[in-house]
Amino acid sequence: MRYGLFKKQLTLLEEAEGGFDQFTRSYKSYGVQRMPDNSLVFKEWAPAAEALFLTGDFNGWDNFSHPYTKKEFGKWELHIPPKEDKTPAVTHNSKLKVVVHTRAGERLYRISPWAKYVTRHEKSVIYDWVHWDPPQPYIHKHPRPQKPRSLRIYESHVGIASPEGKVASYSNFTHNVLPRIKDLGYNCIQLMAIMEHAYYASFGYQVTSFFAASSRFGTPEELKELIDVAHSLGIIVLLDAVHSHASKNTEDGLNQFDGSDSCFFHSGPRGEHSLWDSKLFNYSSWEVLRFLLSNLRWWLEEYRFDGFRFDGVTSMLYHHHGIGSGFSGDYAEYFGLQVDEDALVYLMLANHILHTLYEDCITIAEEVSGMPNLCCPVQEGGLGFDYRLAMAIPDKWIQILKEFKDEDWDMGNIVHTMTNRRYGEKCIAYAESHDQALVGDKTLAFWLMDKEMYTSMSALIPMNSVIDRGIQLHKMIRLLTHSLGGEGYLNFMGNEFGHPEWLDFPRVGNNESYHYARRQFNLVDTDRLRYWQLYAFDRDMNRTEDKYGWLAAPPANISVKHQGDKVIVFERANVIFIFNFHPTNSYSSYRVAVGPPGKYKIKLDSDGIQYGGHGRLDHNTEFFTEPMEFKNLPNSMLVSKLYYLLP
């Protein structure tokens, strides 16, 4: 049934004027477009409006001199010829407004939904529509990198990507952060908060202008340079796409653009998200499909993003938006009247079009319900995503650290959480993301070491027991998640070195402070602090994966999850992973099951001195397999020393 609905909608798109190719490039005709003769065409969709006018710097803010002409199906157009010198009548960086006259006699001042750039004066609350048509647009110099076999994602927020207490820039990210990401061995960046959002503290999840790259970080050309330089380093860039909802703002958002409570959204209660206090799109509307599908293509073509992480997919898929609904895995929860078929078909269309037009495009779903077929191809009735975020894994680590003593950790339960995914469905594993870094929660480093991070992270003094335990577990948790939890890995910026503080954007509640809205990369630039040891382990973990490719390999063969020994052993990509989580017991001559026979050597050791460990293993030791069946594998070997967590 779902595939039938998808095919019906796709057929309509293909039969539209110009086909789905032109339909999904509507950004080339809507909003404002400069024609070859330098005349300008403005085009909007405002079905409930009585009249539309354009005003701005170009006409001295005359509200009536430039009326739009009403067309069919709620569309409006305005043609402005060039000036006498044949230059455009509206110049680059001019401010504009759409003046909407409603049937109720109101006069509303709006920003075009298709605006490509909006800015806000320092003392203003409302954003302004700025006509962006630079005389020397940025030209991309480097080709897109090939789609990586293993996805190692560095989740990033441009504005906090500096040790300084301010909004950091695209240029700062390009010159100061990209080299760090490359050095760490990540091959993908997931950029948050790029679509313009009036409220900085929303983390980019209350979008006001969907086609505008956030001006608080710099210009569109500077964002293009950022992506181009990332490509030159072999790093692909994903955009955090928020198509699940939109800001309620009216003067600088989509809400009530034409004076009605619908337009781009459902009218009435169906158009309101009660928890997020935001508006919900009407995915059955032809013009909403045009807007959203064209929006995706805009970011791919204009800025050369390589794919998307779709935010809030669970909210999209269900009429209840996941509010007050627990998901047990029963298939009745995923099929029935509670499913929003319009939103589901939209996601199928989006994935089909993206993967048809861009073979290497990557799409990731933030989806917590476990919707079946989420990552199956559209032609098989799936939604067509490449990956699902494994959101249960960070929740499990936080639960363990909050509720259990070290000696009570359940090895079987940890392994189950890491491997609990449908066969063939690729997942992005992560120990923590931006969610765990926000004020009100704690990062893993904070759960492990808390206030000791402020006084005891000096490498010039012996580690106390809290720091020692925290550093060792921080590395083991991340390596276990990296190697066992999925087919991709994600880390939020700064967490790789155990960033010592939470994340809190400037707001009234903290006196508009930027103190916590930053990442202290300077902490890893000195060997006097132990943060560089965690950084080095994260770097070498990624580099080791790049060499052996376990993320691209089939799921691990788990041979040991021994509760008494607190030992986990598994094999993936011909690499043997051995973890001893026991707080007090070490083991000698520990037999380990092995598939391929041969000689094995230590390739990554979390106990290495350079990583803040104790250097108890001899890396020159060679381990030879014996043709002795063990744990249902044909070979095995003895590991001479398997040390416990702390010395």
Side-chain angles (χ1 to χ4, degrees), residues 101-380:
H101 290 252
T102 71
R103 293 166 187 169
E106 298 175 288
R107 183 189 300 170
L108 308 174
Y109 296 90
R110 297 289 188 252
I111 288 176
S112 170
W114 302 81
K116 308 303 190 296
Y117 190 55
V118 297
T119 62
R120 180 179 64 86
H121 189 272
E122 186 178 354
K123 296 182 179 180
S124 175
V125 176
I126 306 300
Y127 274 74
D128 296 309
W129 174 17
V130 175
H131 179 53
W132 190 258
D133 187 18
Q136 294 180 318
Y138 185 85
I139 299 175
H140 293 269
K141 305 175 183 65
H142 304 284
R144 299 176 189 267
Q146 288 187 330
K147 186 176 182 178
R149 62 170 186 164
S150 299
L151 205 58
R152 301 183 298 273
I153 304 173
Y154 198 76
E155 185 185 29
S156 305
H157 185 289
V158 170
I160 67 170
S162 166
E164 299 178 68
K166 64 178 185 180
V167 178
S169 67
Y170 295 124
S171 294
N172 167 75
F173 197 95
T174 300
H175 300 294
N176 298 322
V177 183
L178 284 181
R180 295 181 186 273
I181 297 172
K182 177 66 175 178
D183 179 63
L184 280 164
Y186 290 94
N187 56 20
C188 176
I189 299 168
Q190 179 182 305
L191 278 184
M192 309 174 64
I194 295 300
M195 293 178 171
E196 189 61 271
H197 48 292
Y199 184 42
Y200 189 40
S202 76
F203 228 144
Y205 293 121
Q206 292 279 345
V207 177
T208 46
S209 292
F210 283 76
F211 285 83
S214 181
S215 61
R216 56 170 55 86
F217 311 135
T219 68
E221 310 312 299
E222 289 167 338
L223 174 57
K224 292 174 185 177
E225 182 186 22
L226 185 162
I227 296 170
D228 197 27
V229 173
H231 286 169
S232 75
L233 297 172
I235 299 171
I236 64 172
V237 187
L238 306 181
L239 175 70
D240 213 345
V242 186
H243 281 187
S244 50
H245 65 132
S247 168
K248 273 189 172 180
N249 286 19
T250 53
E251 287 192 55
D252 54 7
L254 293 184
N255 192 19
Q256 299 180 27
F257 173 68
D258 64 355
S260 71
D261 74 336
S262 52
C263 198
F264 290 92
F265 310 110
H266 288 290
S267 61
R270 190 179 175 189
E272 306 274 343
H273 196 295
S274 59
L275 285 185
W276 296 345
D277 192 31
S278 55
K279 299 294 292 183
L280 298 172
F281 287 105
N282 178 4
Y283 302 103
S284 66
S285 167
W286 188 253
E287 292 300 327
V288 172
L289 289 179
R290 182 196 303 277
F291 181 80
L292 294 177
L293 293 173
S294 184
N295 184 239
L296 295 174
R297 198 156 181 196
W298 160 258
W299 293 106
L300 287 178
E301 295 193 345
E302 183 70 13
Y303 288 92
R304 301 194 61 166
F305 279 94
D306 301 289
F308 302 94
R309 179 263 202 186
F310 282 76
D311 173 69
V313 170
T314 303
S315 175
M316 297 174 70
L317 291 176
Y318 305 97
H319 291 296
H320 54 62
H321 309 298
I323 300 173
S325 299
F327 293 94
S328 65
D330 190 300
Y331 276 78
E333 297 167 346
Y334 308 119
F335 303 94
L337 297 178
Q338 70 270 32
V339 176
D340 189 333
E341 298 285 359
D342 294 330
L344 186 145
V345 169
Y346 164 68
L347 291 171
M348 294 174 74
L349 284 171
N351 277 306
H352 171 77
I353 289 169
L354 290 173
H355 291 107
T356 299
L357 296 172
Y358 300 92
E359 186 178 354
D360 286 343
C361 180
I362 295 173
T363 59
I364 302 171
E366 187 211 26
E367 208 288 303
V368 72
S369 77
M371 169 66 78
N373 292 334
L374 186 80
C375 296
C376 285
V378 171
Q379 59 268 29
E380 296 179 10

Side-chain angles (χ1 to χ4, degrees), residues 572-585:
R572 192 175 185 188
N574 294 327
V575 179
I576 308 298
F577 294 87
I578 306 171
F579 294 84
N580 180 10
F581 280 98
H582 205 290
T584 57
N585 290 354

Side-chain angles (χ1 to χ4, degrees), residues 1-16 286 289 342 345 348-349 378:
M1 178 181 175
R2 294 176 176 181
Y3 186 68
L5 292 172
F6 157 75
K7 285 294 291 182
K8 181 179 179 181
Q9 194 67 277
L10 180 62
T11 300
L12 290 174
L13 290 179
E14 291 172 338
E15 292 176 349
W286 188 253
L289 289 179
D342 294 330
V345 169
M348 294 174 74
L349 284 171
V378 171

Side-chain angles (χ1 to χ4, degrees), residues 475 479 533-541 604 606 611:
K475 293 176 292 187
L479 180 58
Q533 297 169 338
L534 295 177
Y535 177 99
F537 181 78
D538 198 82
R539 176 197 64 205
D540 292 351
M541 176 175 67
L604 184 66
S606 68
Y611 309 136

